[in-house]
Amino acid sequence: MHIPDGYVDITIAVLFGALSVAILGLAARRVGRRVPESRAPLLGVVAAGIFAAQMLNWPIPGGTSAHFVGGAFAAILLGPHLGALCVATVVTIQALVFGDGGLVVLGANVFNMAIVEVYVGYGFYRLLAPYGEYRAAFVAGWLGITAGALTAGLQLGLSSAFEYQLLTTLSIMGVGHLVLGLIEGAITAVVYRFLAEARPDLQPTAAAEVSPS
Amino acid sequence: MRSDVFDRTVAAIASRAQWFLLIEELPTRKGFLQAVAPSLKVVGVFALVVVTVLQEELRIVGPLVVLSVLLAVASRIPLRTFLGRLAGPPLVAAVVVAPQAVLMGGPQLSVVPLSVEGVDYVATFTVRVAACVGFLSLLLLTTRFSTLLSGFDRLRVPRIAVLLLAITYRYLLVFFAELERMVRARRSRTLTDPDLRRTWRDSGNFLGTFLLRSLERGERVGRAARARGGTGGTPHRPPTRLGRADLAFGLVVAVTVLGVTVA
């Protein structure tokens, strides 16, 4: 889902970059007045862990494999604001160390993967958790990544640099990830099941315990 | 864990780790961009990418790719490495926009059913992506990450953001090694390939254990940093005065921006 430079025009890149900065700034304020530096090690190390976790391949029928993205999972584990900051760090490292995605379009990629995916995923989790936590984790992973893909489709469709119509980009990104997202949902649910049994104190209601200030 | 999935995981980790070694080694070579101050290099590369993104003509984006290759040569980046980086994303871009060569209206090429405008669009789009990837690769391959962070510091990027990036970078190799160790240990305990259902359940436990270890390590690092009265931030070198390489790079960027604007 990483959009490289050259796909979206400068207006879209600047607009979504500014939105990302504003929303992450608000997230930082919601966590504390601003993110206290004492939380940086926890966030930074967990971000590195999520990045490494993305390397693990999961078998899917047909002989191919998929990997975990972890936006919704980070939100469930850390809470939405810390989750967004954590995934934003992962996306930035991917761009500035490994060249995944682009430089000018970094804000747009952060918006899709660290903001939309995280907050939409978390929203579905909170909404559905009373009806079953594992099912809620599944839907969070599934629809979180689909929502992120839809905003990527929106950015591409609105861009003058990309000749496909908005409806085309939304359909391709939306339908494609609605199917692929089932795998992300399933991974999120099985990992959540393990963590809920191994460390029940890590559930969102007890988030304060894992987020020392 | 199934053997093919195991192999793919190990290959993915190895590939990332190999890239790590490369981006730590190449910036230490004596080359043109390696001598440029990191803050100036970030601003200059950003300007070059912005200028590239704004272009819609092949006759302009083509020379920009050539410029990125020339800068790579001047910076003593092995051409094979640089061109290898340059090839992937444009190839994907070409596949993505290829249908436009048929879909776009206007006069057609004489022999094949492709429109002239469509072919021009596909070529321009692909070469533009190549130029952008080239400029970003120059930044990654000529700047150590800690130096890049000191450049961000100089550009007044919020300290907490720089700190987060520094800590994440520092722990990436640690976690890559830990994940690989865990995968190999699991592989050595697995005698037969389990069915898909069992593999998924085991992988869930496996990844859960790994993420739990990450979280607990994060908590430990945080506590240790607080106990020491710090946050584990990396001290940066103080900025030095601009030299000849900085002026030359500034001139290259200024001439490029001016040239592209006039053209």
Side-chain angles (χ1 to χ4, degrees):
Chain A
M1 211 198 298
H2 294 84
I3 303 175
D5 282 322
Y7 277 64
V8 298
D9 59 40
I10 202 77
T11 315
I12 299 288
V14 169
L15 176 71
F16 281 94
L19 269 174
S20 294
V21 169
I23 294 170
L24 290 177
L26 278 175
R29 278 176 190 277
R30 290 294 298 269
V31 173
R33 289 289 299 167
R34 49 192 279 272
V35 179
E37 288 188 1
S38 57
R39 282 191 184 186
L42 174 77
L43 269 182
V45 174
V46 173
I50 288 178
F51 191 116
Q54 293 175 348
M55 301 289 114
L56 190 72
N57 278 263
W58 293 67
I60 51 177
T64 185
S65 61
H67 70 89
F68 179 55
V69 177
F73 186 81
I76 296 171
L77 187 66
L78 297 169
H81 308 307
L82 282 180
L85 293 167
C86 187
V87 180
T89 307
V90 173
V91 175
T92 307
I93 287 277
Q94 284 170 336
L96 297 179
V97 176
F98 298 99
D100 300 336
L103 193 60
V104 172
V105 83
L106 177 62
N109 281 327
V110 165
F111 186 82
N112 303 335
M113 289 180 272
I115 294 174
V116 175
E117 194 179 324
V118 167
Y119 283 102
V120 170
Y122 187 75
F124 277 110
Y125 173 78
R126 290 311 294 253
L127 195 71
L128 299 175
Y131 306 102
E133 285 176 1
Y134 305 141
R135 265 174 282 178
F138 170 79
V139 175
W142 176 35
L143 296 184
I145 200 167
T146 306
L150 279 173
T151 50
L154 182 75
Q155 290 157 0
L156 291 168
L158 291 178
S159 169
S160 61
F162 203 66
E163 278 297 324
Y164 291 101
Q165 298 295 315
L166 179 61
L167 199 62
T168 310
T169 56
L170 283 177
S171 310
I172 290 175
M173 293 297 285
V175 174
H177 281 81
L178 207 56
V179 177
L180 286 173
L182 289 168
I183 298 163
E184 175 73 6
I187 297 175
T188 307
V190 293
V191 178
Y192 180 87
R193 180 189 287 269
F194 172 82
L195 280 186
E197 286 167 5
R199 286 278 303 267
D201 58 307
L202 293 181
Q203 284 172 302
T205 45
E209 291 177 34
V210 296
S211 309
S213 56
Chain B
M1 186 169 290
R2 294 181 163 196
S3 53
D4 53 343
V5 178
F6 162 82
D7 291 340
R8 279 178 217 163
T9 301
V10 171
I13 297 169
S15 149
R16 292 293 200 184
Q18 208 169 17
W19 176 252
F20 249 102
L21 296 177
L22 196 68
I23 58 167
E24 286 294 322
E25 188 259 321
L26 286 181
T28 58
R29 293 189 176 187
K30 287 194 184 307
F32 174 49
L33 284 177
Q34 286 88 336
V36 176
S39 52
L40 183 71
K41 202 175 352 179
V42 169
V43 173
V45 167
F46 192 82
L48 289 173
V49 176
V50 168
V51 158
T52 309
V53 168
L54 288 169
Q55 303 315 310
E56 292 175 356
E57 288 180 53
L58 189 58
R59 67 183 178 88
I60 298 177
V61 288
L64 289 171
V65 177
V66 176
L67 174 67
S68 75
V69 176
L70 289 176
L71 286 171
V73 171
S75 305
R76 300 186 64 208
I77 298 171
L79 260 186
R80 198 172 160 184
T81 304
F82 188 73
L83 295 178
R85 293 281 307 165
L86 216 58
L91 207 65
V92 176
V95 172
V96 168
V97 296
Q100 291 295 340
V102 180
L103 295 173
M104 284 181 110
Q108 301 232 319
L109 290 173
S110 53
V111 190
V112 281
L114 305 173
S115 77
V116 175
E117 198 184 335
V119 170
D120 181 57
Y121 168 75
V122 173
T124 307
F125 188 91
T126 306
V127 176
R128 186 172 60 213
V129 170
C132 291
V133 171
F135 290 132
L136 177 58
S137 300
L138 285 174
L139 180 67
L140 305 185
L141 293 170
T142 62
T143 323
R144 288 186 70 187
F145 195 67
S146 57
T147 315
L148 191 65
L149 292 180
S150 71
F152 287 155
D153 224 20
R154 186 101 199 268
L155 292 169
R156 307 253 185 262
V157 171
R159 185 176 149 71
I160 186 69
V162 176
L163 195 59
L164 271 176
L165 291 173
I167 294 170
T168 304
Y169 184 78
R170 199 185 308 160
Y171 279 90
L172 273 181
L173 268 187
V174 173
F175 282 128
F176 285 174
E178 183 156 324
L179 185 66
E180 188 176 358
R181 232 179 8 252
M182 285 175 69
V183 171
R184 284 189 191 281
R186 177 154 206 90
R187 167 78 158 159
S188 69
R189 290 196 302 270
T190 308
L191 297 178
T192 54
D193 282 348
D195 60 26
L196 193 68
R197 191 185 172 86
R198 174 75 192 270
T199 307
W200 266 71
R201 204 187 62 202
D202 289 351
S203 295
N205 296 348
F206 180 88
L207 195 60
T209 305
F210 176 74
L211 288 170
L212 210 52
R213 286 186 188 186
S214 309
L215 189 69
E216 285 165 354
R217 191 189 289 262
E219 288 173 328
R220 275 204 311 276
V221 171
R223 277 197 298 273
R226 283 199 300 281
R228 287 195 305 270
T231 56
T234 310
H236 303 305
R237 276 188 207 153
T240 50
R241 292 179 63 182
L242 296 183
R244 274 191 298 188
D246 301 308
L247 292 175
F249 181 61
L251 201 65
V252 168
V253 174
V255 168
T256 305
V257 172
L258 204 67
V260 165
T261 311
V262 170

